[in-house]
Amino acid sequence: MQEHHQGTSNMLREDVERGGGVKSRGNGSNNNNSSSSNSNGYLSTPTYLIEDAEAHYWTSWLVPMFVVANVVVFIVVMRINNCPKHLHTSFEGKCVARFLGRFSFEPLKDNPLFGPSSATLERLGALEWTKVVHKHQGWRLISCMWLHAGIIHLLANMLSLVLIGIRLEQQFGFVRIGIVYLLSGFGGAVLSSLFIRNNISVGASGALFGLLGAMLSELITNWSIYTNRTAALLTLLVITAINLAIGILPHVDNFAHIGGFLSGFLLGFVLLPRSQYGWQGRRNLPSAVGFKSKFKAYQYALWLVSVALLIVGFTVALVMLFKGKNGNDQCHWCHYLSCVPTSRWKCNEDL
């Protein structure tokens, strides 16, 4: 059973937008350095300021709903798992936290993350190549992102989702962030299925890496409006590198992380560009001051390239997947992206 939780645990410690900001472009010079204007800033970070007339902030409700949905699904999975019912002998081990009754966890030797059995996860929608390709259960490419291997896995991912997702939803609205989240999770599942055949995979980490990738591309496509942009870029790159590096440990589905990150990175160029400063208020400007375009030329170029790559990438990957192609046959070194064997562990093991 491949889990996603290790690749996102480091995201809990970092607010990935810390260190960069949006220029405050008001009329007064004092606006640029204001530390008390957090009523229109990004949460409590004083460096993220946009001119009040241009800024629009949404109330975040979709990300909290995603969190609630994941928690509810985990509770339902644990109820169905019913550890005491299927463990009958001491040889099989004892359920953990038996006072929880049917909600108790599997023995730690079977699942150290305090969660259900792999058989239960597989039955309820975990990603498994054979079932997706040969049993025509493509819905697993969606269902796997709502399942978690254990309570530790769930808490790590949900805390990461709150830290990253709420801020993004406040800035760009529930529609765009919802699309990034869901398509990134789907993209991660597709890439995982292409390269991993012997294990099952669950977790929202592909979608979370998609949000991280979207933050990076949003910074790039809106480069001109940020202050401290170099520091913000380096911070995001370091956080991404650390999390992807953790993904090379055994039993971590780093292909889901990579697929989600690439999907979110491209979707950020498509869905998250900001219009040129002054575009919203152009009707109030003198006729001599005109705007030929809502976005800058490089933003349009990035949009076109990203749309093309998304269409081609998803099409090729899905065709290869449902034709039963093995991604490792096309890329003989790619398996090292998900697991690097050492003297302490082996790769390609079944959990």
Side-chain angles (χ1 to χ4, degrees), residues 182-293:
L182 295 174
L183 282 183
S184 297
F186 178 73
V190 171
L191 190 65
S192 174
S193 296
L194 279 173
F195 287 93
I196 297 177
R197 294 193 172 194
N198 299 323
N199 304 301
I200 67 172
S201 178
V202 294
S205 298
L208 291 171
F209 267 83
L211 294 180
L212 190 61
M215 289 179 65
L216 181 58
S217 56
E218 188 272 328
L219 173 63
I220 294 172
T221 194
N222 300 314
W223 186 257
S224 62
I225 69 171
Y226 277 90
T227 61
N228 300 324
R229 48 194 175 224
T230 301
L233 178 62
L234 290 176
T235 301
L236 281 171
L237 290 176
V238 168
I239 293 171
T240 301
I242 291 173
N243 282 281
L244 290 175
I246 291 175
I248 66 175
L249 295 173
H251 310 316
V252 181
D253 186 357
N254 212 27
F255 287 114
H257 299 166
I258 295 170
F261 179 83
L262 292 176
S263 299
F265 183 70
L266 294 175
L267 286 166
F269 288 124
V270 175
L271 297 175
L272 307 183
R274 299 181 189 271
S275 58
Q276 295 191 59
Y277 170 65
W279 173 263
Q280 300 295 335
R282 66 193 184 281
R283 294 177 182 175
N284 299 324
L285 296 175
S287 58
V289 181
F291 288 87
K292 295 181 179 180
S293 176

Side-chain angles (χ1 to χ4, degrees), residues 23-46:
K23 292 180 181 177
S24 175
R25 295 173 293 189
N27 295 327
S29 60
N30 290 337
N31 290 343
N32 290 331
N33 297 310
S34 171
S35 61
S36 62
S37 300
N38 56 4
S39 62
N40 286 309
Y42 288 13
L43 298 183
S44 60
T45 308

